[in-house]
Amino acid sequence: MRRLKLGVPALALASAWLVPGVAFADSGAQDGESARAAALADAVTAREGDTSAIGFNPAGIADLDRTTITLLGHAAYLHLDWARPGEAATTSDRAIGGYGVSLVVPLPGPDWLRRVHLGAAVHVPSSGIITVEAATRDDVPEAPLYGSRLERTAATFALAVALPAGIDVGIGVTVAPTLIAPTVVAYDASRGETVDDGVIVRLDRDVQFGAAVRVGIRYAPVPQFAVGIVYRGGVTLRAVGPVNLRAGSVLANDPLDFTDVFSPHEVALGLA
């Protein structure tokens, strides 16, 4: 019988190999995600040096020593096949795209003022400022967290300060729209000669905004090592509004209330 011994490095490697990871295919596009962040699967909580820090850990922008701008463009194609028991298969095809820009600016002036950095990242879908797809049946497959995240306009603003001893602190806020859509459908036979002429449809569209705070810190005691921790607040967006259908004395109220989780509450710890 052979006895197998595992040392601490082997146990650590085995644990990392077995613990399941979580990947978000579109998690960073709203936040000025750079090519480096995408290549690192957005594991940049403790890293410095580009505009990705605006969204992932706002403290990281304090290490940029010059004005930096990132231009972002992305395109995707979603194909979904699904079927209900006893029914024919359904196919859904949809193109998704968008573009954006992110910018970090260190303030000019004396040394203490140059420690302050401002950042902003804006993302806009390829069509419209917000897209909401409300399912007509409750058994339609959907992605509750990131189903249509890339089809919304979003902006993140950040401020960071480089403190002595290699400590950076930052705070940011992400703003994204919510749709208020009251609708009235009625019928007035005196409006025209045909049935279609008598249909009255009144649509109202109002965009409001939800916001979430991001707070982070980054500590780099030596250039070769850094640790970062950040809290990212969640944003839940809704498309709401009364839908009144009136025909003579008959009134049917079927309100729209569709919830989409734009981003969950997150706490991230990173080592670099």
Side-chain angles (χ1 to χ4, degrees):
M1 178 182 296
R2 290 188 175 182
R3 182 173 298 173
L4 178 63
K5 295 183 178 180
L6 291 178
V8 172
L11 286 174
L13 179 61
S15 300
W17 192 274
L18 294 175
V19 172
V22 178
F24 301 120
D26 61 357
S27 63
Q30 311 290 23
D31 304 317
E33 184 183 44
S34 66
R36 184 181 73 164
L40 294 172
D42 297 337
V44 292
T45 301
R47 288 186 173 270
E48 83 298 338
D50 66 37
T51 60
S52 297
I54 293 172
F56 295 110
N57 185 355
I61 68 174
D63 288 286
L64 288 169
D65 58 0
R66 67 189 66 185
T67 298
T68 305
I69 186 170
T70 299
L71 301 179
L72 166 71
H74 63 89
Y77 178 73
L78 175 63
H79 176 83
L80 179 65
D81 291 318
W82 54 279
R84 304 183 182 94
E87 295 186 14
T90 300
T91 299
S92 174
D93 296 284
R94 186 155 54 97
I96 301 172
Y99 47 89
V101 60
S102 55
L103 174 69
V104 174
V105 178
L107 295 183
D111 180 70
W112 64 268
L113 190 58
R114 291 198 302 269
R115 292 177 175 269
V116 180
H117 293 62
L118 302 178
V122 179
H123 172 271
V124 180
S126 56
S127 61
I129 65 170
I130 180 173
T131 298
V132 178
E133 291 193 1
T136 57
R137 294 175 54 162
D138 57 9
D139 58 352
V140 175
E142 61 176 327
L145 279 184
Y146 296 103
S148 59
R149 190 168 186 261
L150 292 180
E151 295 177 299
R152 297 184 183 276
T153 298
T156 300
F157 306 95
L159 180 148
V161 180
L163 301 176
I167 300 175
D168 301 329
V169 294
I171 186 171
V173 60
T174 296
V175 181
T178 289
L179 182 65
I180 311 297
T183 303
V184 176
V185 180
Y187 181 76
D188 182 358
S190 64
R191 294 185 73 232
E193 298 179 355
T194 67
V195 174
D196 292 339
D197 293 337
V199 178
I200 303 172
V201 179
R202 291 198 300 270
L203 305 176
D204 191 10
R205 299 291 181 265
D206 184 25
V207 175
Q208 299 181 3
F209 292 90
V213 175
R214 302 171 182 235
V215 180
I217 185 171
R218 181 177 177 272
Y219 174 52
V222 293
Q224 296 80 10
F225 175 77
V227 58
I229 186 169
V230 61
Y231 164 74
R232 309 182 190 116
V235 180
T236 301
L237 306 178
R238 300 177 68 191
V240 298
V243 180
N244 295 321
L245 309 176
R246 179 182 295 275
S249 60
V250 178
L251 174 63
N253 185 17
D254 185 17
L256 171 69
D257 192 346
F258 182 74
T259 301
D260 185 20
V261 178
F262 180 79
S263 60
H265 295 283
E266 295 178 316
V267 175
L269 172 67
L271 303 176

